[in-house]
Amino acid sequence: MNYTESIGARTYRFADLKTLLAKASPQRSGDQLAGLAAGSEEERVAARMALAAVPLKAFLSDALIPYESDEVTRLIVDDHDAAAFAAVSHLTVGDFRDWLLSGAADTEALARLAAGLTPEMAAAVSKLMRNQDLIAVAKKRPVVTRFRNTVGLPGRLAVRLQPNHPTDDVKGVAASMLDGLMYGSGDAMIGINPASDSLAAITKLLAMIDGFRERYRVPTQSCVLTHVTNTIAAIEKGAPVDLVFQSIAGTEKANASFGISLALLREAREAALSLKRGTVGNNLMYFETGQGSALSANAHHGVDQQTCEVRAYAVARKFEPFLVNTVVGFIGPEYLYDGKQIIRAGLEDHFCGKLLGVPMGCDICYTNHAEADQDDMDTLLTLLGAAGINFIMGIPGADDVMLNYQSTSFHDALYLRDLLGLRRAPEFEAWLETMEITDAKGALLGASPRAPLLAGAHEWMGIDA
């Protein structure tokens, strides 16, 4: 099927649906480098006009990547819920945008619809939306998950405490972890990016966090972000694994470049479930994604980077994750060139993930060679807070000394909670009050040396006060 649109005397023709989606995307460097982007703003507008007229049903019969050659496509097609889709099956992409912004698309309606939407439908409608549209609709769609506490409730903001260390020094990790907890961070999880893939180092970190958690009865969950095969091996050795991490992408070929398949993810989830470590729920997968991963692996099949990204959320959704994190500016300026592109991508990812029923968080970040700075991150932080983001990162000083990139700090979380009146996960909030870290309203009390957490921490860490 050919898609055409005329602007004045000029007619634009788009060969197929994936070409149309790519040309309709907001400007981003990854699509330009891949030769997929619109050649001008006029062509971009023409593509959006043509896309607005495409029936949503078209995405069910016109696979962007063939069913026979891609297991992510097969997952999307086979898991599609026709009954859930019926409510919007008569709409075009443009009509769908209007419906999403209407009062009819309330929280309950959006929840019922999620299983009837494909990633391509979500990506398509996002391309027609302004930033404020992406925020307004995402705000209406909370996604709640549970493991040892509850994340994603309306009016709540969780933080992944990320105490990385360049040599995986256990005392260094512990010091950063304690620092974050004293700022009230860590309800999403305590998650470490290890410098080493050594199974011994990974299990040592897992044991340290778990020993601390049990000693102080912290209602949170831990994760060491190693490859899923290492996590399976750690489980087999009896390590205290809470959440299972893996980077994922939106095509089979891109996932193969990560050394994974849907079957491997299923095996890892079943292994972790067998440990029965959750107390209030069993959502235990932790996935990270980012626009540009499929393009960087030359595994995009001519599909634009944002649509590939949203296809990864179909993979995530299949495994009922606790958290999904778009690490928005980490891949670099080759895919998101500057602050404007990073901000837009973060809002798109959060909107599309929530629309599909995925518990979205965001690592609001940039690398030092991007045309972006901390002011851009402040803007995205504030916008995502308004949009109802499930969680953000908490890193000492916002500067990750192991991964060498800029993210958000414990102080940034305090700012956002104070600005928007957001609370922590309820179980974690109650624990902070018991530990005399916060008051009943969630405000920090200050680092009193008599606070239960500090009183024994130096002994636990094996250092002098």
Side-chain angles (χ1 to χ4, degrees):
M1 180 177 180
N2 289 330
Y3 303 91
T4 63
E5 189 65 45
S6 296
I7 297 180
R10 187 176 285 109
T11 298
Y12 291 92
R13 293 179 174 83
F14 308 98
D16 50 31
L17 194 51
K18 69 180 176 183
T19 301
L20 180 63
L21 287 167
K23 302 292 187 183
S25 288
Q27 184 178 24
R28 53 208 49 184
S29 51
D31 290 337
Q32 290 174 312
L33 288 172
L36 304 176
S40 66
E41 287 302 316
E42 184 175 278
E43 184 180 21
R44 183 171 288 112
V45 169
R48 289 177 179 171
M49 292 169 66
L51 181 59
V54 173
L56 288 177
K57 290 178 181 178
F59 294 96
L60 300 177
S61 58
D62 191 352
L64 305 188
I65 303 172
Y67 182 94
E68 297 75 17
S69 60
D70 185 87
E71 69 172 356
V72 177
T73 299
R74 292 195 290 274
L75 170 67
I76 292 166
V77 174
D78 295 348
D79 280 10
H80 181 255
D81 187 331
F85 178 61
V88 297
S89 61
H90 60 291
L91 300 178
T92 65
V93 177
D95 294 334
F96 185 41
R97 172 192 175 274
D98 294 343
W99 181 82
L100 288 171
L101 291 167
S102 74
D106 59 14
T107 298
E108 291 74 21
L110 291 173
R112 289 193 301 269
L113 177 62
L117 294 179
T118 68
E120 293 83 358
M121 293 174 192
V125 75
S126 75
K127 297 174 192 296
L128 305 184
M129 302 179 87
R130 296 168 58 185
N131 285 1
Q132 67 173 249
D133 299 339
L134 298 173
I135 295 166
V137 176
K139 178 73 171 181
K140 298 191 289 185
R141 181 56 173 109
V143 178
V144 179
T145 55
R146 296 174 175 85
F147 186 74
R148 213 171 269 121
N149 62 25
T150 307
V151 170
L153 292 167
R156 304 273 176 172
L157 171 72
V159 175
R160 171 190 160 187
L161 173 49
Q162 185 170 304
N164 292 346
H165 191 278
T167 63
D168 291 337
D169 179 79
V170 174
K171 288 184 179 179
V173 170
S176 291
M177 183 175 73
L178 184 63
D179 185 28
L181 289 168
M182 292 306 297
Y183 279 105
S185 292
D187 45 349
M189 71 167 172
I190 299 170
I192 303 168
N193 298 88
S196 167
D197 278 333
S198 158
L199 190 58
I202 290 160
T203 53
K204 188 175 183 180
L205 290 170
L206 284 167
M208 182 273 290
I209 302 174
D210 201 57
F212 180 89
R213 183 191 62 77
E214 289 198 334
R215 175 169 179 164
Y216 292 99
R217 300 183 182 277
V218 191
T220 191
Q221 34 284 319
S222 64
C223 185
V224 174
L225 281 67
T226 187
H227 192 271
V228 67
T229 52
N230 287 336
T231 303
I232 293 172
I235 291 171
E236 291 172 347
K237 288 184 174 295
V241 172
D242 286 345
L243 304 186
V244 175
F245 162 77
Q246 184 56 50
S247 293
I248 58 172
T251 73
E252 179 179 349
K253 186 178 178 182
N255 283 325
S257 75
F258 292 147
I260 63 165
S261 65
L262 299 182
L264 183 59
L265 294 178
R266 189 176 303 110
E267 177 187 350
R269 179 172 180 267
E270 290 172 356
L273 283 170
S274 72
L275 300 179
K276 296 181 168 42
R277 292 177 59 82
T279 56
V280 298
N282 289 312
N283 301 116
L284 50 68
M285 301 299 284
Y286 172 59
F287 294 121
E288 288 192 345
T289 67
Q291 289 193 28
S293 58
L295 271 69
S296 68
N298 193 27
H300 57 93
H301 301 273
V303 177
D304 68 272
Q305 68 180 47
Q306 189 239 346
T307 303
C308 283
E309 168 73 3
V310 186
R311 283 170 56 94
Y313 304 155
V315 176
R317 180 171 62 177
K318 179 67 175 178
F319 299 99
E320 301 178 10
F322 184 65
L323 308 169
V324 176
N325 179 23
T326 170
V327 192
V328 66
F330 185 75
I331 299 181
E334 300 83 2
Y335 301 96
L336 296 171
Y337 178 73
D338 57 16
K340 182 175 182 179
Q341 292 187 16
I342 292 171
I343 290 167
R344 174 69 189 189
L347 295 176
E348 288 171 347
D349 294 351
H350 178 247
F351 161 83
C352 289
K354 287 291 183 65
L355 205 58
L356 294 173
V358 172
M360 291 300 298
C362 183
D363 190 343
I364 301 161
C365 63
Y366 64 102
T367 56
N368 287 311
H369 62 311
E371 292 295 321
D373 58 27
Q374 210 66 38
D375 285 338
D376 295 314
M377 300 307 105
D378 285 350
T379 300
L380 180 54
L381 171 72
T382 306
L383 294 174
L384 285 172
I389 192 85
N390 279 31
F391 70 99
I392 61 170
M393 302 297 107
I395 299 171
D399 184 2
D400 193 297
V401 296
M402 196 282 282
L403 292 172
N404 194 29
Y405 77 116
Q406 309 304 309
S407 185
T408 49
S409 69
F410 309 137
H411 300 80
D412 292 327
L414 294 176
Y415 148 77
L416 197 60
R417 286 182 173 132
D418 183 63
L419 179 73
L420 300 176
L422 302 172
R423 306 291 292 260
R424 299 171 180 87
E427 301 89 345
F428 191 77
E429 187 174 67
W431 176 81
L432 289 173
E433 186 179 354
T434 301
M435 290 288 108
E436 300 176 28
I437 296 171
T438 63
D439 63 18
K441 295 182 180 179
L444 293 181
L445 292 173
S448 167
R450 294 184 300 276
L453 190 61
L454 283 181
H458 294 99
E459 176 190 354
W460 170 76
M461 290 174 63
I463 58 176
D464 295 331

